[in-house]
């Protein structure tokens, strides 16, 4: 299932379909009467580089620790929020839109579709065909409409930002400036939430070049084409972004000239551009595949309805898996920015949570599936972002916390902010988020395809491990993280709602994981010595009546079905607790997981995706299917974007879903592979996986009636003797191993 199909145009943004080239993102509504194309540029953000590090944090850090160790957690919370938190991140901005108002085109026999293999958006009606794509090789977005009968169209542009529109020759220009500050959407009492300083706010430009067989007329702010049968529009975006540590260019004229120069380089032949685009995109998309043997051909709207009545679940699962691959390739390419909360598509001046990089789960989840799905090349923007973040984070570590290495709290933006954000300690104080980023990148490195980035990854892991090492403190004979959080959750202590503790399962898991990773890749002898000294004394995971303890011991807490599964980090996405090798802690993980799910009330896409991954790694096919079908019922927009309450799009749910499918199909523990570890009976009939990347090996396999009958690998792999047919064909690189080995 490689095509998303509709029989009506989009009426709202979350019904439109996305295209992108890793730099420019576009949402297309698909009307042949009033078409709307909404543009983003990955580097168009509010603000500019600022230093929010505070030596005052270091002054009060030990006092906060003392209060926690004395059991005065609520007092520690207040002091932390007053003295250890800071300022908000900046926001990802919408650039603008192009509106096309047609005459003499009807929408009889209407259809619109997105071919995900080739990344082509198509709209057709009686005698008319419109195609659109966004090319990475040529850094241009293209829209062409051809009709049997002559038509007319008026082309206009507008932006929600401060901007102007004018026409010059064959081009329509939209030029403006981003705000120098945009408040988060959750601040309701901001008197001036959007603030402009056009001497500092980043300039931007969208150039639309018009090629047609019709007659072109224009005034200062719009273009009209009459008597056309063929119209092609070429779109180029540019911004004043000069790097994370440099002031952006605020001069509209200079950025406009960048746009003009870029457009001059575009080869304005639709078919040539299309051929280069599809060759580039399909090579990435086809590098790996998952199939459940489905043949559904109806509309996406009808498919969602069927799934919510219990039908065609496999069809939607396969479609959403491919959609995740499509969005990754469209949104995250070498030289661009990594996927933020909305990927590369946002239509709001104050987008949900500033559409930033939320690195206490969401940014990491965006990439969980990427390397396994043959998309290691799409991880480069994340590596570069974290490498840049290390530069700022080393300052934050030293100034705020008196530590070596790099610290990074839970909100990062284009300017690589690493200091804490203002607000609740459970959200805003999270200096080990950089450690999580380092661990995430190292996981992909181990899967393969990132050898050229080894030196940068070594720096990232080394600096993260240094910070973890120095931020530990000794308490009652063990090294603990303090202050310690379980992201965005709280607990009751002395009848008070508290947020800070010491030795949370989440923080200790991050430390243990980065120590393990650092010992494998670092060349810093002092760090190795420090790790070997401290690792044996790290605070152990604690267990209580509900399984693994979220904080240093079992507490009651107000939100038992909390959306974050942070205390289970060491099981997934970490790999410290092995399903086979650590039965005791695996049982504690399962108990906590079941407890969490029992009380879950909110339907949140990314949380459901994380639960799918956990269920799969626990080899629990029934829970996996239940969570997935619940996600389908509540967390999918009309355009298949994932839903975050109350009604926001977040891309992490889409991409995390693909990670869940990967875990359902293949599990790996210490170099040994399980195939179909959590395959629901509904998916058992037949299926095929091609070139799933694990530990450097590309593994392909087929199954029927829940039994694998063929396994091929391009490198030596070890595999458990599970779910195999009696006459299974094993390639020369596949070695079976008993669970007892």
């Amino acid at each position: 299932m490689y095509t998303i199909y509709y029989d009506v145009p989009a009426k709202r943004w979350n019904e439109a379909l996305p295209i992108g080239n890793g730099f420019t993102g576009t949402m297309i509504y698909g009307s042949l009467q009033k078409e709307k194309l909404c543009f983003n540029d990955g580097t168009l953000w509010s603000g500019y580089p600022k230093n929010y590090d505070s030596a005052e944090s270091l002054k009060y850090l030990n006092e906060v620790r003392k209060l926690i160790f004395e059991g005065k957690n609520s007092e520690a919370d207040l002091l932390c929020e007053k003295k250890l938190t800071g300022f908000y991140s900046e926001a990802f901005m919408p650039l603008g839109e192009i509106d096309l108002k047609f005459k003499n085109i009807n929408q009889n026999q209407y259809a619109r579709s997105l071919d995900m293999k080739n990344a082509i958006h198509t709209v057709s009606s009686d005698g008319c065909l419109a195609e659109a794509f966004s090319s990475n090789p040529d850094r241009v977005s293209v829209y062409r409409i051809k009709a049997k009968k002559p038509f007319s169209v008026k082309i206009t542009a507008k932006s929600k930002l401060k901007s102007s529109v004018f026409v010059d020759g064959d081009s329509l220009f939209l030029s403006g400036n981003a705000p120098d500050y945009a408040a988060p959407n959750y601040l309701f009492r901001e008197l001036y939430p959007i603030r402009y300083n056009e001497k500092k706010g980043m300039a931007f430009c969208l150039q639309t070049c018009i090629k047609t067989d019709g007659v072109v007329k224009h005034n200062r702010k719009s273009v009209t084409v009459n008597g056309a049968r063929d119209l092609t529009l070429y779109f180029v975006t540019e911004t004043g972004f000069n790097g994370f540590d440099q002031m952006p260019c605020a001069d509209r004229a200079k950025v406009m000239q960048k746009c003009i120069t870029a457009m001059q380089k575009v080869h304005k032949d639709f078919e040539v551009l299309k051929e280069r685009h599809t060759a580039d995109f399909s090579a990435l998309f086809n590098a790996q595949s998952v199939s459940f043997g489905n043949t559904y051909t109806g509309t996406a709207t009808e498919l969602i309805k069927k799934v919510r009545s219990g039908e065609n679940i496999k069809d939607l699962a396969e479609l959403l898996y491919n959609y995740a691959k499509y969005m990754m390739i469209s949104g995250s390419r070498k030289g661009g920015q990594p996927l933020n909360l909305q990927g590369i598509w946002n239509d709001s001046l104050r987008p949900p949570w500033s559409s930033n990089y939320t690195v206490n789960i969401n940014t990491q989840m965006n990439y969980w599936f990427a390397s396994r799905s043959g998309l290691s090349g799409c991880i480069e923007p994340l590596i570069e972002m974290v490498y840049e973040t290390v530069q700022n984070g080393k300052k934050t570590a030293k100034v705020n916390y008196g530590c070596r290495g790099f610290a990074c709290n839970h909100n990062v933006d284009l300017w690589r902010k690493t200091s804490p954000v203002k607000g609740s300690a459970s959200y805003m104080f999270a200096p080990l988020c950089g450690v999580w980023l380092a661990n995430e990148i190292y996981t992909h490195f181990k899967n393969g395809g990132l050898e050229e980035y080894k030196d940068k990854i070594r720096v990232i892991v080394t600096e993260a491990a240094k910070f973890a090492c120095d931020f530990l403190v000794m308490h009652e004979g063990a090294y603990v993280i303090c202050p310690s959080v379980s992201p965005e959750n709280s607990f009751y202590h002395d009848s008070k709602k508290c947020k800070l503790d010491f030795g949370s399962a989440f923080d200790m898991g991050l430390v243990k994981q980065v120590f393990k990773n650092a010992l494998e890749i670092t060349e810093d002898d002092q760090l190795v010595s420090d790790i070997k000294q401290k690792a044996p004394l790290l605070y152990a995971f604690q267990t209580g009546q509900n399984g693994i303890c979220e904080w240093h011991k079992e507490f009651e807490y107000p939100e038992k079905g909390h959306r974050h599964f942070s205390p289970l980090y060491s099981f997934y996405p970490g790999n410290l607790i092995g399903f086979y090798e650590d039965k005791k802690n695996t049982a504690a993980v399962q108990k906590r997981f079941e407890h969490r799910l029992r009380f879950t009330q909110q339907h949140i896409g990314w949380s459901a995706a994380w639960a799918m991954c956990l269920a799969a790694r626990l080899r629990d096919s029934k829970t996996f299917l239940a969570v997935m079908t619940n996600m389908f019922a509540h967390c999918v927009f009309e355009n298949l974007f994932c839903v975050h309450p109350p009604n926001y799009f977040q891309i992490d749910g889409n991409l995390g879903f693909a990670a869940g499918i990967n875990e359902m199909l293949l599990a790996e523990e210490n170099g040994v592979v399980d195939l179909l570890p959590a395959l629901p009976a509904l998916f058992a009939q037949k299926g095929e996986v091609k070139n799933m990347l694990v530990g450097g090996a590309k593994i392909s396999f087929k199954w029927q009636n829940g039994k694998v009958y063929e396994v091929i690998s391009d490198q030596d792999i070890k595999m458990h003797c599970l779910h195999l047919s009696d006459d299974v064909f094993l390639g020369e690189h596949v070695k079976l191993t008993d669970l007892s080995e």
Side-chain angles (χ1 to χ4, degrees), residues 6-42:
Y6 299 88
D7 57 7
V8 294
K11 294 180 180 179
R12 295 176 289 275
W13 190 87
N14 57 20
E15 295 176 358
L17 290 170
I19 61 172
N21 58 22
F23 299 87
T24 300
T26 310
M27 296 291 287
I28 305 175
Y29 282 60
S31 172
L32 293 176
Q33 294 178 344
K34 293 182 179 180
E35 178 62 286
K36 182 185 294 186
L37 295 92
C38 301
F39 288 87
N40 291 96
D41 187 293

Side-chain angles (χ1 to χ4, degrees), residues 430-571:
L432 265 68
C433 284
V435 175
W436 191 344
L437 286 168
N439 290 342
E440 174 68 18
I441 288 171
Y442 191 71
T443 295
H444 294 294
F445 176 73
K446 295 273 286 187
N447 272 338
L450 295 172
E451 190 64 27
E452 65 183 291
Y453 304 105
K454 185 175 182 178
D455 289 343
K456 287 186 175 179
I457 293 170
R458 180 183 290 113
V459 169
I460 291 167
V461 174
T462 296
E463 297 302 324
K466 284 181 181 178
F467 178 75
C469 206
D470 285 9
F471 199 69
L472 289 165
V473 291
M474 178 63 72
H475 179 66
E476 296 181 348
Y479 281 109
V480 299
I481 294 295
C482 183
S484 183
V485 298
S486 193
E488 305 182 20
N489 207 356
S490 57
F491 59 95
Y492 291 120
H493 179 61
D494 290 340
S495 303
K496 297 177 182 178
K497 189 175 176 181
C498 302
K499 304 145 190 173
L500 297 178
D501 192 31
F502 68 87
S504 73
F506 169 72
D507 279 335
M508 298 311 300
L510 289 174
V511 172
K512 293 172 184 179
Q513 187 73 62
V514 81
F515 279 6
K516 178 183 177 184
N517 296 342
L519 290 176
E520 293 178 1
I521 195 172
T522 191
E523 295 177 345
D524 189 313
D525 293 338
Q526 183 60 56
L527 176 62
V528 171
S529 176
D530 292 344
I531 291 173
K532 289 183 176 180
Q533 185 265 318
K534 290 188 176 181
L537 299 174
L538 289 174
Y539 192 69
F541 297 124
Q542 305 296 302
T543 58
Q545 60 180 355
N546 296 314
I548 199 164
C549 292
E550 191 154 358
W551 292 273
H552 87 274
K553 67 176 185 178
E554 188 77 19
F555 289 108
E556 286 294 321
Y557 46 104
E559 199 176 345
K560 296 178 180 179
H562 197 267
R563 60 194 175 277
H564 282 255
F565 293 93
S566 305
L568 310 182
Y569 166 84
S570 297
F571 187 71

Side-chain angles (χ1 to χ4, degrees), residues 219-288:
N219 59 33
R220 291 178 7 187
K221 295 187 177 183
S222 66
V223 176
T224 300
V225 179
N226 294 312
R229 285 185 171 89
D230 193 337
L231 170 70
T232 306
L233 305 177
Y234 303 89
F235 307 98
V236 170
T237 66
E238 291 287 349
T239 75
F241 180 63
N242 291 316
F244 77 96
D245 56 352
Q246 302 295 317
M247 285 295 295
C249 177
D251 189 325
R252 296 185 187 183
K254 288 183 179 179
V255 174
M256 185 180 299
Q257 188 56 53
K258 285 175 63 179
C259 232
I260 293 169
T261 302
M263 184 65 79
Q264 289 171 343
K265 296 177 181 178
V266 174
H267 184 78
K268 296 183 182 60
D269 185 300
F270 180 88
E271 294 298 338
V272 171
L273 290 173
K274 182 179 176 181
E275 184 178 354
R276 286 206 290 250
H277 160 70
T278 55
D280 167 74
F281 196 98
S282 61
L284 286 169
F285 191 94
N286 294 330
Q288 180 266 356

Side-chain angles (χ1 to χ4, degrees), residues 4 33 37 55 101 104 179 212 287-288 305 310 319 335 352 395 398 409 443 474 483-484 487 492 532 592 622 635 672:
I4 304 173
Q33 294 178 344
L37 295 92
K101 189 175 181 180
N104 304 323
T212 182
Q288 180 266 356
K305 289 180 181 177
L319 190 66
K395 301 172 188 174
K398 183 179 180 179
N409 287 268
T443 295
M474 178 63 72
S484 183
Y492 291 120
K532 289 183 176 180
R592 176 61 62 184
K622 291 183 179 179
C635 302
V672 182

Side-chain angles (χ1 to χ4, degrees), residues 314-377:
K314 289 193 299 179
D315 296 293
L316 185 55
E318 185 175 318
L319 190 66
L320 284 176
Y321 186 87
N322 289 326
Y323 200 30
K325 289 172 58 180
Y326 170 82
M327 288 194 286
M328 175 63 70
I329 301 168
S330 300
S332 185
R333 300 294 294 274
K334 186 175 182 178
Q337 297 297 313
L339 297 165
N340 59 50
L341 284 175
Q342 279 69 44
I344 197 172
W345 303 278
N346 161 49
D347 70 335
S348 176
L349 285 178
R350 298 179 68 191
W353 299 281
S354 300
S355 197
N356 60 26
Y357 303 107
T358 303
V359 294
N360 67 2
I361 174 60
N362 312 86
T363 301
Q364 292 89 333
M365 180 180 286
N366 284 350
Y367 289 88
W368 281 354
F369 85 104
S371 55
R372 278 200 179 184
S373 298
L375 300 177
S376 295

